[in-house]
Amino acid sequence: MKVVDSYSRVVRLGEGLAATGQLSEDAMDRAIVALQACAQKLLRRPLRRVLAVATEACRQAANGAAFVARAREATGLPLRIIPAREEAELAMESCTPLLRPGDRRALLFDIGGGSTEIAWIRREGGTASLIGYISLPLGVVTLAERAGLCCFTRQGFESVVDEVAEALRRFDSVHCIGQEMRSGGVRLMGTSGTVTTLAGVALALPRYSRPLIDGRVLDCEDADQALRDLFALGREGLRTHPCVGPERADFVLPGCAIYAAIRRVWPSSCVTVADRGLREGMLQRMMREEGSRSRRPHFTARHADQPFS
């Protein structure tokens, strides 16, 4: 797979959602501007298929479906809201190539803006399958908004850790993940801005570098020290940190609190850091489906799939 273009913008689509149950007009406007930029980029390429998805903010919001319809009209993109299970499956699909020989299970966490997904994965031979998953309605944006800047205080940070850990223990009690981890052969994997930031800080990078982070096996003691370093910086220090910056300064510590809860419930000596996730899972799925389609016998000269325009 060769990446020919990439585009990313922080739009905070779920801003205000926890308080109102709705996507705000400002947040929707920001998201549509970003999606229009994506659509313009796509028009410059010869396309076979386009896959565009919306996740937790649109799942939660009472006007989520209306926003998706509006975005489709404004951009021409075939945007759809995917269920939490499909989101977990796509993250699994993108990250399982990072598993190593001897890994029989993987625990994958994805700390997002509006939710946190945990995927419990079985690996048999070269095939990975989803044993179970949980989607917590707790993400870096929802936590930052709900509690203001409480994660910048020790008491507030610990209260978030306690809350998330309690929800994770219920998931653990169903799947006995902790017991499996103690038996060995279980890899802890993380994908999201939180864990990649912790890796960047632990490696003392002068600026964030994906090639140095993606697939990095980080000692959890080093990640814990990076967390302590980030907490000590405070809000202004985070704004100027080369691996954080002003757009993400308010969201790093809520993400670190979720990570700390994961570490509390499922202690591990190391964590594999993935700078990949939903997008890469979507690409891999499309490539696999295209490969499968090309191997099928063709009975007519006409293809069912038409290029996106």
Side-chain angles (χ1 to χ4, degrees), residues 245-305:
E247 284 191 331
R248 298 179 55 240
D250 287 348
F251 308 125
V252 168
L253 292 185
C256 285
I258 296 171
Y259 169 77
I262 292 168
R263 287 273 291 122
R264 179 184 293 180
V265 177
W266 297 302
S268 177
S269 62
C270 62
V271 56
T272 295
V273 182
D275 189 342
R276 58 180 73 191
L278 193 62
R279 178 181 59 182
E280 288 76 12
M282 292 158 63
L283 288 169
Q284 289 188 17
R285 177 174 290 184
M286 283 195 294
M287 288 189 296
R288 187 181 66 250
E289 290 173 351
E290 284 291 308
S292 175
R293 185 176 290 113
S294 67
R295 289 190 295 271
R296 295 173 189 164
H298 294 282
F299 298 103
T300 69
R302 180 180 178 82
H303 292 285
D305 291 321

Side-chain angles (χ1 to χ4, degrees), residues 5 37-47 50 77 308:
D5 203 346
C38 292
Q40 288 301 311
K41 285 178 173 289
L42 291 174
L43 289 174
R44 304 182 195 130
R45 304 284 179 181
L47 302 174
V50 172
L77 296 173
F308 171 80

Side-chain angles (χ1 to χ4, degrees), residues 89-289:
E89 288 172 340
L90 288 168
M92 176 188 73
E93 190 155 352
S94 70
C95 293
T96 49
L98 298 177
L99 292 175
R100 298 189 175 188
D103 294 337
R104 58 184 183 83
R105 298 282 190 275
L107 182 65
L108 174 64
F109 61 89
D110 182 356
I111 303 170
S115 65
T116 296
E117 273 67 47
I118 307 288
W120 180 225
I121 299 164
R122 175 190 294 112
R123 187 195 195 194
E124 293 178 337
T127 303
S129 58
L130 192 63
I131 303 171
Y133 75 97
I134 184 173
S135 179
L136 303 179
L138 300 169
V140 299
V141 175
T142 52
L143 285 173
E145 288 186 348
R146 188 189 65 180
L149 297 179
C150 81
C151 281
F152 287 89
T153 69
R154 177 57 60 186
Q155 181 179 359
F157 187 92
E158 290 300 328
S159 69
V160 172
V161 175
D162 291 342
E163 178 184 358
V164 176
E166 180 59 30
L168 296 179
R169 287 191 187 98
R170 292 193 291 271
F171 183 64
D172 181 78
S173 68
V174 173
H175 296 285
C176 302
I177 298 168
Q179 181 178 329
E180 291 274 7
M181 292 182 80
R182 288 188 291 273
S183 299
V186 178
R187 181 165 297 274
L188 180 65
M189 306 177 72
T191 172
S192 71
T194 296
V195 72
T196 56
T197 298
L198 287 171
V201 173
L203 296 172
L205 298 182
R207 65 182 61 84
Y208 185 77
S209 171
R210 185 182 188 272
L212 294 177
I213 296 298
D214 186 45
R216 169 78 60 166
V217 179
L218 186 64
D219 189 289
C220 280
E221 290 187 2
D222 293 337
D224 292 345
Q225 182 58 53
L227 190 159
R228 290 189 289 268
D229 292 343
L230 287 169
F231 186 87
L233 286 173
R235 188 166 185 261
E236 291 308 312
L238 291 171
R239 289 175 63 86
T240 59
H241 194 285
C243 290
V244 181
E247 284 191 331
R248 298 179 55 240
D250 287 348
F251 308 125
V252 168
L253 292 185
C256 285
I258 296 171
Y259 169 77
I262 292 168
R263 287 273 291 122
R264 179 184 293 180
V265 177
W266 297 302
S268 177
S269 62
C270 62
V271 56
T272 295
V273 182
D275 189 342
R276 58 180 73 191
L278 193 62
R279 178 181 59 182
E280 288 76 12
M282 292 158 63
L283 288 169
Q284 289 188 17
R285 177 174 290 184
M286 283 195 294
M287 288 189 296
R288 187 181 66 250
E289 290 173 351

